Structures are given as C-alpha cells and as structure tokens.
Amino acid sequence: MGMTLKALSQITGYSMITISRAINYPHLLHKDTREKILAAIKQYEYIPNNVAKALVYQRTNIIHVYVPEDLSPTNQFVMQVTAGLGSYLGENGYSILISKNWYQHQNVDGLIVMGLSLQDEERLHQLAKHKPLVLFGHDDAVACVDVDNVLGMKLATEHAIECGYRQIAFLGIAQDKKFTKDRYDGYRNAMASHGRAINDRHVVFTENNTDSGYRAAKALLKECPEIDCLICSSDDMAVGVMQAAQKMNIDVPNRLGVIGYDGLGTELLVHPQLTTIHQPVYEIGIELAKILLKNIKDAEIGSKTNFYAPVLQPGATTVKR
Amino acid sequence: MGMTLKALSQITGYSMITISRAINYPHLLHKDTREKILAAIKQYEYIPNNVAKALVYQRTNIIHVYVPEDLSPTNQFVMQVTAGLGSYLGENGYSILISKNWYQHQNVDGLIVMGLSLQDEERLHQLAKHKPLVLFGHDDAVACVDVDNVLGMKLATEHAIECGYRQIAFLGIAQDKKFTKDRYDGYRNAMASHGRAINDRHVVFTENNTDSGYRAAKALLKECPEIDCLICSSDDMAVGVMQAAQKMNIDVPNRLGVIGYDGLGTELLVHPQLTTIHQPVYEIGIELAKILLKNIKDAEIGSKTNFYAPVLQPGATTVKR
DNA sequence: ACGAGCATTGACAACGCTAACATTATTAAA
DNA sequence: TTTAATAATGTTAGCGTTGTCAATGCTCGT
C-alpha cells in the first residue's frame, strides 16, 4: 500500500538499513546522504510500518481496554474511566484499543479490564499470567483498582446524620454485585456506629434507573411518611426520587433530604443540585493506567489492590437543621 | 514472550506450516495429526501473534478513531458516536484504536475522524489519499457524514411556531464553527418562511454551557419580557435557561417555551422534560462505520457527504396553545 | 609508511506468520 | 502395471523493519 524501505532503497540507491538510519539514527549518516534520503522520504511520503516495527521490537504501544458484555459502552462510568486512562496513556505514547472480545487482539502491551463478570474470571487469570493487566474491581489474583464503596456510603450516611435528619432510608440496587452489597454495608455500619436503628421498611432495593427510583420513592414515601432523608445507591435513582418528591409536593431538602451516589455530572443538571458521593472515575482511569505502565516497565505481574476513596459532594438536596 | 509456531513445531515434531494449518485449514490435516497438534496448542497455551499475521495479510483489523485536540474525550457527543461505531465495527471483527495523535499508529485499516479543526485539514487530505477515511463533519475532499443542522433548527423553530409562540428568541453558540452558523441559519430561514420578523435583540450568542445559558437567559428575559419562547443551540444551554426561568418565577412551558438541541439524554433528566432536537449520534456512529467498511472492502476512497436528519423530540417545555 | 581509530555504509539474519510451490506416499483409473 | 489424481506434509521465500557484525575508506600520530 504505502512506500516501503525497500522501494525507497531502490529509488535512492542506498541500502534499506541506511534509509532506516536516516530516521532512527540520523547522526550516523553523512550530512549529504542524510539530506538526500530525508528529501526522498518527504517526496515519496514514506511512513514507517509500525506493524513491522512491532514485530521487531516485540511491543505495540497499544493497551487493550476490555469492556465486559454486561457493561454498556454508553455507560457514563465506563466512558469517563476510559477518558481518564486514555489521556494518561496518550501522554505516554500509548494508544488504546477498545474491544469487547478477549482474544481478538492479544498483541498488545497490556490490558485494562473494566469490571469482571463471572464467566470471564478464568480467562482473566489465564491472561494475567502472560500479560501485564490491571482490573477495575477486585480480585485476589490480579492487580486492581477499586472504589471503597463501604466508605462511600458511610460518608453519605454520616452526612445525613450530621445534617440532622432523623429517619434515614436507603434505596439500594437490586443486582447481585459486590459494590451494591458494599454500599448497603456502608449505610448499615454508619447507622450502627451512630446508634441509629435500621427500620427494615426503610430499606428498599430496586433497579438502577430513574424510573425505578421514581416508583420506589413514591411507594416508600407514601407508606412511611416519617422518612425525612433518602440515600440512594446511584444518581439516576436519586433523580427519580426528586421527581417523586416534586410530584408529591414534598419539599427537598427541608422536608426530605436526598443523597445520590456516583457524581458523574448528572448531579449538576438537576434542580436543586443533588448532594452526592462523587467517585473520581477520571482519576481512577489515570490510576489504572499508571499502575499498568509501571507493571509493564518493571515486567511485573502484580496482584495488589489499590483502593480509591470516594468523596462527599454537597449539593442543595440536603441542609443542616 | 508467548509460545510460537516455531517452538510448537519443535515440541510436536511437525513443521511450522502444519501447526499453522491446524488452526487455519484444519481439514487439510490428517485427523490424528490435527488432534495431536490441537492438544499441544491447548497444553502450551499457544496464541497466534496477530502482529506477524498483520504483516503477512497487510491488514490489522483495527480502525483508528481520531478525536481532535479541541474535542474533550469526555464529551457526550464524541462518546456516543464512538459507542455507535464501536458496536458496528466490533460486530464486524474490527477493533477501534482511539488516539489524539495522527501518526502514532498509521497501521490501521481505516480512519474515522471526529470533526475537523483547521490545522488538521492538510493532514486529513494527505491521509485520505492513502487510507480509507470517513469524516464526521463536512469536507469536499473526503467521505463524510454530517448532521443537517439547518434542518434541525428549522424543525425547532417550526415547532415553536406551530405551538403558537409569538416572540421566539434564539440563543446561539459563540464559536466559529460551521454547525453554529448552520443552526442560526435554520432559525432564520424558518422564521422568514413563516413571515416572522427577527428582532435583533432576541438573538444572543454565548458559550455552550449551562451557566452561560443561565446568565444569558436571565439578562435576555429581563430586558425583553415580551419573549415567550427561547430556542437554544444546545441542551446544556437550555438547562441553564430553565433554571433562570425557575429563578425568575417564569412558568415553563405556559409563559415561556424552551427548546434545546442535542438530545443526548440530558433532556430526560431535567424537570419538566425538555423539548429538544435529537441528533441520532449513536446511529451516526454506525453510519460512519458502515461507510468506512464499505470503502475498505471496495478499496474505494470516497468523497461523498451523507447528511443525517435530526428529529424533533417533544418534551414538556413547549405546549400547544 | 603503517596500523589504530573513526566515519560511513552495507550484508545478513531475525521477529512470527502464511502463500505458493515442492515433495512424498497413497489410491484410483486406464 | 503404469499413470494420473489425491492426500498429507514440508521447503522456501517473503511481509517491513531493525540489531549485529562486517567492510570500506579515511585521518592521524608515530
């Protein structure tokens, strides 16, 4: 397709290796030779073939970002992580290859895996033996970065308590994943350590979307009008809760406090601005990339988990009182 | 690093090509041979080296998605297009390589370029001569997919007129890009063809974000209280407008109609739900990918522009009256 | 004048794979 | 039985690049 060293060699009369040197070690060549060759390179629009280079160097400068099937690629979460790691990797001369298939492009210098579904576990371990790999999530056998979800929900709950809310309910995600359980644990721990009893009727699990949040909140607030604060396991759900409150003419934040979880930008769009637990996903992306590049450099196959702390991001759906 | 054909050849006693055939043309091998080799492949965890394959086949099955510097990778727009084209390319056995650098990985089978900044134009034309390439945007020399922004804003304006709004103002994006101008043209054309005069004081250009929208709307509605509909060049701006209206106790949609532009999901989060012009960006991503793969297949270097129509997506910020 | 050292260029092999052709053994057809 | 087709495997070369070593010519100090 394109111009090659061989062709250029025939055109200029110099050997292939000399042309190669004009690019990689120009100081080795005689000034005249160098100039002639560089001129020819320009004239014939020669572009080195990175595939051939990769074969020689045994590295591609490509990092594979694997997004499991059960995560939508449109997912805000995934996208922002990808943006973060993409920026770091880009600055360091790497490109990112995104694909849903494990083995389609195994010839990459490393992998970043976005969360783990069960059927992938075996392959993950398999692959981790051969290639530098960092997982967003938690697994004992590989290097990981994870968010401390227990801490996150603890922060949310303590914020609610500090604000002075008395009947703090919890809206969880009905999905069999570790992070959903962790968030619930954070809520329970914080409640317990502040001497608050948990009313079972104040804990509801539902699907993670606005509509489910709306419906769950409507039912919950109708049945338990004593509730004066609702902590949600996601911002999407929290938005639904706010819509329900508006519909039921419940004043947020005075009559009802609302706290979300994620902090990916949605919290700024709604009115009033949503108090939420911000997960620094962009930064986590960078962290994933940093760890990966370090492991590549040291030819190391790590298995440490690095926990990342979410932070409370106060909005206007909670007030001190 | 990994197991190679050569190593496997020594282990099994068969020649390299025979091992290769066990994978690519298993029917050519004797049953016993095939089974022995496949067993060895499994045992020694052989994975073919795609870099070497790419060198032979002269194709990588990788598509480069180039996102210009001036577009944030976190940008909803970019992300959803990428998600769309990624899904289509993925289904067709391609992976996508995302990078901000033009020449970092030229060894890809094709390029998708997300919008064009001026300093890139020369490189774009240069590259388009050598590689299949599709541009999201508009340029006479290369194959393009673009949104019909004039049509989009025409739809918005006509919707406002049909609803019965009388003083329809326009909030534009102060940026020297073609699409901003096109949207303004769409507004003007529609107004003109319906015999509506445009009051210059009813047209304001500002930055494309919620806060700017808020401030612009506040000033505009204060100065020109006769305005009863405000068409915005983006949903972010429209959200700001809605916040301003709320602050000023202006009833949306009865006293003031609000129309946004983009329809990327934001419109569903706000309350009331925002009437907007939806740009089918996910579908556009798929279209970009389709055209690219077709051009790759036909070894064709096209230069046709395919226009994509945005659609009106009615919400609750406009009413018929 | 003579080898040591340097500047400049080239030949060859290798990276891992596959296409094209070549070889051998086996079987069917004449 | 001889010939031709077929099955099963191997040999060689090449994809485009670079590392290693070799070769040539030159300068310089003695």
Side-chain angles (χ1 to χ4, degrees), chain A residues 17-18 37 78 97 141 150 165 201 215 222 233 258 260 292 317:
Chain A
I17 193 72
T18 302
I37 293 179
V78 173
L97 182 71
V150 178
Y165 293 104
R201 294 168 58 229
R215 285 201 305 264
K222 192 169 183 184
S233 283
V258 179
L292 182 63
T317 55

Side-chain angles (χ1 to χ4, degrees), chain A residues 213-214 217-218 221 239-250:
Chain A
Y214 177 84
K218 225 168 165 187
L221 294 172
V239 169
V241 170
M242 288 171 69
Q243 290 173 358
Q246 173 142 17
K247 190 88 172 184
M248 296 168 82
N249 266 317
I250 297 178

Side-chain angles (χ1 to χ4, degrees), chain A residues 45 50 76 79 107 130, chain B residues 45 50 76 79 106-107 130:
Chain A
E45 298 176 1
N50 278 347
Q76 272 291 328
M79 289 208 187
N107 288 100
H130 300 305
Chain B
E45 298 176 1
N50 278 347
Q76 272 291 329
M79 288 204 191
Q106 67 288 76
N107 289 101
H130 300 305

Side-chain angles (χ1 to χ4, degrees), chain A residues 236-295:
Chain A
D236 281 352
M237 294 167 112
V239 169
V241 170
M242 288 171 69
Q243 290 173 358
Q246 173 142 17
K247 190 88 172 184
M248 296 168 82
N249 266 317
I250 297 178
D251 177 52
V252 174
N254 296 309
R255 163 74 183 77
L256 179 75
V258 179
I259 304 181
Y261 202 108
D262 278 344
L264 301 177
T266 307
E267 76 278 7
L268 303 174
L269 291 172
V270 293
H271 189 87
Q273 213 163 298
L274 178 64
T275 296
T276 190
I277 300 298
H278 173 72
Q279 311 196 75
V281 280
Y282 190 87
E283 289 74 18
I284 289 172
I286 293 177
E287 183 72 12
L288 283 163
K290 264 188 189 161
I291 294 174
L292 182 63
L293 291 198
K294 189 176 173 307
N295 286 1

